[in-house]
């Protein structure tokens, strides 16, 4: 089968598409992968900068969508089922994956496989961030940095369904502003002067929740953007720099900084993944939650697709078409 492989840690340009044996499917759900999601941790893995460091060479990728080839008896799945799946230890950027049944999810007929490939990782991260970590309340305002990216667009799609009355998108270009608006942003501001713009939009009050997958030098201004009782959600550091916080800022304004480690949460709360899907899947099936509209690139362009996340030129979720 074809697969995307990292064989040396020289960045995205070193990624190769290779032929490797299919995985052993004994006791697992075997899926013929139609498309697989590309996320920022893959870009970090190409340079050995991610906390999970498999031995070289390895196939990265943690989310796929496709059609079940075979499944164990009693798993709840059968050949021909359309599914999305998580591959928690990599291996997703390949034509075939073998996954434990607990990490496989039947997708609504209305959701295309390419959309489903970009759904689980971001949507369930954001669902966890807003529902569990932020404890989002009805009527609150949510601001999201990197709003045209995967986490950003998921936030814009999900936040109103979880209670937000207003979503403010922070983006770097007018092109990305259009992506944010297409995903439902109430307001859009550019990164240059974003704090003053947000203060103006909120009449000086600030926002209730900041979703931050970027980090870097805007972190302190994110704290300044919070209303009393506001929560800053730390999801990642696509900006490169891991910021620090002077805790007196939290004390003076009664605000919180909250980590969002969705993967770590799943390991310590194994039933939470199914609980999340039980809430998200009906929203997708009913059409209340729109499916992602990802950027779809052929597997031959895997290196360029991963590079677009590293250099932050991607406008939306990126997936690779495997078939």
């Amino acid at each position: 089968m074809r697969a995307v492989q990292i064989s040396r840690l020289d960045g995205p340009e070193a990624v190769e598409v290779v032929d490797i044996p299919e995985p052993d499917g004994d006791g697992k759900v075997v899926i013929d992968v139609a498309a697989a999601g590309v996320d920022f941790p893959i870009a970090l893995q190409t340079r050995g900068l991610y906390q999970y460091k498999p031995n070289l060479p390895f196939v990265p990728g943690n989310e796929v969508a496709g059609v079940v080839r075979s499944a164990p008896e009693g798993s709840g799945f059968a050949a021909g089922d359309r599914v999305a799946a998580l591959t928690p230890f990599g291996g997703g950027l390949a034509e075939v994956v073998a996954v434990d049944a607990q990490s496989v999810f039947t997708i609504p007929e209305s959701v295309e496989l390419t959309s489903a490939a970009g759904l689980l990782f971001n949507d369930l991260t954001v669902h966890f961030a807003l529902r569990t970590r932020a404890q989002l309340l009805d009527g609150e305002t949510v601001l999201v940095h990197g709003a045209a990216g995967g986490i950003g667009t998921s936030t814009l799609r999900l936040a109103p369904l979880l209670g937000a009355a207003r979503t403010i998108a922070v983006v770097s270009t007018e092109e990305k502003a259009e992506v944010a608006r297409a995903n439902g942003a109430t307001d859009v501001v550019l990164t240059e002067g974003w704090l003053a713009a947000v203060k103006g939009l909120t009449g000086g009050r600030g926002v209730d929740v900041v979703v931050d997958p970027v980090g870097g030098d805007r972190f302190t201004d994110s704290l300044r953007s919070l209303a009393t009782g506001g929560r800053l959600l730390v999801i990642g550091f696509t900006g490169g720099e891991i910021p620090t916080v002077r805790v007196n800022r939290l004390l003076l304004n009664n605000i919180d900084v909250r980590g969002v480690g969705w993967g770590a949460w799943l390991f310590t709360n194994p039933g939470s993944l199914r609980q999340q899907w039980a809430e998200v899947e009906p929203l997708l099936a009913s059409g209340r939650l729109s499916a992602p509209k990802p950027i779809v690139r052929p597997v031959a362009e895997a290196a360029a697709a991963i590079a677009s996340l590293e250099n932050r030129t991607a406008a939306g979720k990126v997936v690779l078409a495997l078939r």
Side-chain angles (χ1 to χ4, degrees), residues 65 140 184 239:
E140 290 193 313

Side-chain angles (χ1 to χ4, degrees), residues 3 7 14 22 25 83 107 116 147 157 192 201 204 321:
S7 56
E22 292 187 359
V83 296
I107 56 174
R157 291 166 43 250
E192 185 71 28
L201 286 170

Side-chain angles (χ1 to χ4, degrees), residues 247-302:
V247 295
N248 64 308
R249 296 183 185 277
L250 313 184
L251 174 67
L252 293 173
N253 297 314
N254 289 294
I255 56 178
D256 295 348
V257 176
R258 302 183 182 180
V260 180
W262 176 60
W265 183 265
L266 295 182
F267 281 116
T268 55
N269 297 268
S272 63
L273 188 58
R274 285 291 168 190
Q275 291 172 2
Q276 283 190 279
W277 188 244
E279 183 169 342
V280 171
E281 193 276 339
L283 296 175
L284 286 164
S286 68
R288 292 183 63 205
L289 176 62
S290 60
K293 296 180 176 62
I295 302 163
V296 182
R297 304 185 71 156
V299 68
E301 297 178 9

Side-chain angles (χ1 to χ4, degrees), residues 199-280:
K199 288 291 189 179
L201 286 170
T202 61
R205 174 184 178 274
V207 302
D208 301 292
V209 175
V210 172
V211 175
D212 184 12
V214 177
D217 57 8
R218 71 181 71 181
F219 185 82
T220 299
D221 278 348
S222 290
L223 292 174
R224 294 179 176 132
S225 76
L226 290 173
T228 300
R231 292 86 75 201
L232 170 54
L233 305 180
V234 179
I235 294 184
F237 312 104
T238 61
E241 179 187 349
I242 298 177
T244 57
V245 57
R246 294 172 64 102
V247 295
N248 64 308
R249 296 183 185 277
L250 313 184
L251 174 67
L252 293 173
N253 297 314
N254 289 294
I255 56 178
D256 295 348
V257 176
R258 302 183 182 180
V260 180
W262 176 60
W265 183 265
L266 295 182
F267 281 116
T268 55
N269 297 268
S272 63
L273 188 58
R274 285 291 168 190
Q275 291 172 2
Q276 283 190 279
W277 188 244
E279 183 169 342
V280 171

Side-chain angles (χ1 to χ4, degrees), residues 34-39 63 65 110-120 122-123 148-151 153-154 157 179 182-183 284 290-298 305 308-309 314-321:
V38 181
D39 51 57
E63 57 182 339
S110 59
V111 177
E112 296 181 359
L113 291 176
T114 49
S115 294
L119 193 156
L120 291 179
N122 289 328
D123 278 15
I151 290 292
T153 52
S154 285
R157 291 166 43 250
V179 173
N183 281 275
L284 286 164
S290 60
K293 296 180 176 62
I295 302 163
V296 182
R297 304 185 71 156
S308 73
L309 297 179
K317 176 68 180 182
V318 179
V319 306
L320 291 181

